[in-house]
Every structure is written in C-alpha cells, then in structure tokens.
Amino acid sequence: MSRIVGALALWLLIAPAALADQVTTFTLKNGMQGIVIEDHRAPVVTHMVWYRAGSADEQRGKSGVAHFLEHLMFKGTKTVPGGELSKIVEANGGYDNAFTSYDQTVYFQRLAADRLDLVMRMEADRMRNLILSEDDVKTERQVILEERSQRIDSSPEALFHEQLAAAQFLNSPYGTPTIGWRQEMEALTRQDALAWYRHYYAPNDAILIVAGDVRPADVEELARKYYGPLKPSDGIVPRKRPQEPPQLAERRLSFADPNIAQPMVTRSYLAPQRRHGDQKQAAALTFLAALLGGNAQTSLLSRSLSFDQKIAVSAGASYDGTSLDPTTFTLYVVPVPGVSLADAERAMDKVLADFLAKGVDPDHFARLKTQLKAELIYKKDDVGDLARDYGQALTSGLTVEDEQAWPDVLQSVTADDVLAAAKALFDRRHAVTGWAMTNAGQEDLP
C-alpha cells in the first residue's frame, strides 16, 4: 500500500467524529422545507435558499428569465432598498451571492452565526416583497447581455460547448443555455420577470438550508418567525419537462474559429441521472468517469494518450449525475500539435474498446474506492460544501435519505457493475461527437 493510500485509510478511521455530519430536517406549514447541518467548530453560519426552479423550467421562447430574475432579486423591497442587502451583509462581516443552474436558483449568505436572524429576515422579505421598476429591468437586462457577451459570445470554446449541448438535447430544455439565447434575452420584460417571480418564488417551492454553528430548534424557530407567515403559491406542481425522444443515430458537428486555443475532439453520451431510491447506475458511471479520466496521472485515457503514446496534451472523462432529468457522460481529447482530430478520435476509441474487452483493473478500482471515500469525508470538513450537496440533491428530485445513502451506494459498486454500465453507455447511436478547430475545412469529419 502506498503512503498516500495508507494515509487515506488512517484518515477514514479517525476523521468522521471531528467533521460536520449532523443533519436535521423540518417542514413549515406553508410547505417550506428546512435542513440544518450542525458544525460547532467555528462561530459562522451559511444560510441558503434553494428554489426548485432553474433555466430548464422556463417557458420556450423565454430563455434566460431565471437568471434574469436572479439579478433583479438584488433590487430591493420597501424594507431593504435596492443594493442594500449585500451592503448590510458585508457591513456585518459576511458575504452573499446567488447562482442559477438548470434545476435550481440559489441565494446564500455566510457570516457570523449570531447574525442569522438578520439574513433570514431579509431573505424572507425578498421572497415575496420584491419591487421592480422599468429602469431596474432595463439596467439588468443590459447587464445579463453583457455577461453573455463576455462569458459565451467572446469565447469560442464556450460557443462550441453550447452547440454541443443543443445537438445533444433536441427536446429536453438542457439543450438551452442557462444564461439564455441572446435574441430571447433581449426581449425579456418586467412582466416576464414578475410572472416567474410570482409563480416560483414561494415557500412551498423553496428549501432553506442553514449550516454551521447553530442548533436545529433555534433555526426552526427563526424559520417559523420569518418564513412561516409567507403564503404558498397555488401554481407549484410536480416538475414534468419535455424529455428526449430515442436517439437512433450518432450526431456529429464541427466548429471552426481562428481563436480556438487548442483543437479538441469531444463526445457526449446520454446518461441516466441519480434517481430517488435507485442510485446504483449513477454510482457505477461515477466510477467509470474516474477510471477513464478522473486523474491526469492514472486515468486510462490520460495515461494512454498523454504518457504512453504522447499524442494528447490532455484527455479525460466527466459525469455528474445530480440532475432532475437524464444528463450526459463526456469524453474529450486535446491532441498535441501535428496530430489530427481524426487520429485523436481513433486513439480515444481504441482505449474504450480495450477497456471494454479487458475489463476493470482490480487494483486501480480498489484505489479509486478508497480515494473516493476519503474525498467524501474530506468534503464534510467544509459545511458550505455539504449544504450545497444537499441543496443540489433536493432540487434535483432526490431526498435527504438519498444524499445520506450516496456514499454507501458508491462503496457497493463492483467492477462488474462499472463494466456493465460502460457497455450500456458506449453506444455511438446515442452520442454527439464534436470537433473544435481553428480553420473551417481544416479536417473532414469521418
């Protein structure tokens, strides 16, 4: 056993008692769910409100409205004028922020534990009492358009991946970028933002997560005081989105831009997500991604293409199964100068074929199991990370029990499970393969 693996094994024995691991739940009469994660090592607290509403819940033609409202939520209420919430948090020694994803929109603050009352009062206030003027809307619409210009339109790599997602998801809203399509963002109105706000921003569509130096009874008392009086929305129904039709043929695309920093080939496969009460397949895919591309030094793709054959600058695989609807499993190769994308793709396919033929190396798999178990324990050292994991799980169709069971589900996976998952996954008829290159016509797609 190596020193690193040995140290990890020792950590697994002594660490759990010292880390944040106490999770308590409650539900208010108006339907708001509460999660409390105790960690008394430092007098700080993270306060988060997760809404079960992300960009994938948007009405077609209104893309970007979820992210748009996220910006507008800082414009203020009668009690807390525009911009003051962040200033008040900062004045009390903390910080705040927000983010929008496909399946959720999240607002959070981190500050001294004795200031929890303050931030909970302000967050509850803007859940139902937001004030928006036409000037606010005009200003923030320009802000999000500029954000798209900087993050997407000026980045050929971002545009490439945006096109890949659109090709992968023909019907699922995961094919629409979270920030929105520019022409639809330009048309967003005050009424669009308010309609989204009034429908989704309600206690029965929200999850409160408080993590840090707190007692569950105290958090629940504050939640009843501030969130309890808020009226629930009658419009909250189970989330049923358009789903992908069966994909019967591989899709391929080429993307050319003179500013592409490094040509690359990537392939994404439709893949199952973590499912409530049945996370075994997602766990097997998690290990498959780690085996093929999780570590630049030891993963199969990197070791073969970058170190043995020396034809790739980098190569890897990725999978994140925490999503409400089916997701993707992705492979990529960035070839060294002089190696064509066609050769890089053939080399990638050869690694996959060899893996399917030979199966999982038992020693490599055992090391990965130990490392992944250690990573999950290390994560408990950061209560903010824990809060985010629970929030993402609960806004993606999972439960507290599912999230708590996830480490054991991972450890129950066998090498045969991983190989079976790989054989079911790697069907080119269910994949999108993309080439990013510097010049149009630089290479012909096979």
Side-chain angles (χ1 to χ4, degrees), residues 349-372:
D349 285 333
K350 179 66 165 54
V351 173
L352 297 183
D354 289 346
F355 172 75
L356 293 175
K358 297 177 182 178
V360 178
D361 177 83
D363 292 335
H364 189 186
F365 186 61
R367 287 193 298 270
L368 277 179
K369 272 201 162 186
T370 300
Q371 290 166 5
L372 188 54

Side-chain angles (χ1 to χ4, degrees), residues 377-416:
I377 290 180
Y378 288 146
K379 184 171 283 191
K380 293 181 180 181
D381 196 39
D382 189 324
V383 41
D385 283 348
L386 274 181
R388 184 162 180 152
D389 285 349
Y390 275 97
Q392 187 176 3
L394 269 63
T395 50
S396 300
L398 300 169
T399 65
V400 170
E401 291 73 23
D402 289 325
E403 181 63 21
Q404 291 176 331
W406 180 238
D408 290 335
V409 174
L410 286 168
Q411 290 303 308
S412 73
V413 171
T414 66
D416 288 341

Side-chain angles (χ1 to χ4, degrees), residues 287-309 311-312 314-317 331-333 347-348 350-362 364-365 367-368 418-419 422 426:
F287 276 108
L288 179 62
L291 284 165
L292 291 176
N295 184 294
Q297 302 297 320
T298 61
S299 63
L300 295 182
L301 282 169
S302 182
R303 194 171 64 212
S304 175
L305 304 184
S306 297
F307 292 96
D308 295 343
Q309 302 182 55
I311 63 171
S314 61
L331 309 165
Y332 75 91
V333 179
M348 178 181 75
K350 179 66 165 54
V351 173
L352 297 183
D354 289 346
F355 172 75
L356 293 175
K358 297 177 182 178
V360 178
D361 177 83
H364 189 186
F365 186 61
R367 287 193 298 270
L368 277 179
V418 176
L419 187 60
F426 293 140

Side-chain angles (χ1 to χ4, degrees), residues 13 15 44 107 142 162 172 188 235 259 270 308 322 393 402 416:
L13 294 174
V44 296
Y107 301 86
Q142 191 57 44
E162 188 177 76
S172 165
L188 291 174
N259 294 314
L270 283 175
D308 295 343
T322 311
D402 289 325
D416 288 341

Side-chain angles (χ1 to χ4, degrees), residues 73-88:
M73 282 288 284
F74 291 87
K75 291 303 179 184
T77 67
K78 289 182 179 179
T79 306
V80 182
E84 288 300 310
L85 188 149
S86 296
K87 292 179 181 177
I88 292 172

Side-chain angles (χ1 to χ4, degrees), residues 129-183:
N129 301 314
L130 183 66
I131 297 176
L132 294 181
S133 69
E134 287 290 354
D135 287 342
D136 291 334
V137 170
K138 182 178 179 180
T139 298
E140 288 307 315
R141 186 171 53 227
Q142 191 57 44
V143 169
I144 62 170
L145 287 168
E146 181 60 29
E147 185 177 342
R148 179 176 171 96
S149 294
Q150 293 179 358
R151 289 173 46 193
I152 308 294
D153 298 333
S154 63
S155 169
E157 288 80 10
L159 289 171
F160 172 58
H161 287 289
E162 188 177 76
Q163 292 299 302
L164 286 171
Q168 181 76 77
F169 295 105
L170 299 185
N171 200 44
S172 165
Y174 287 167
T176 300
T178 296
I179 198 169
W181 300 115
R182 174 172 286 276
Q183 72 274 17

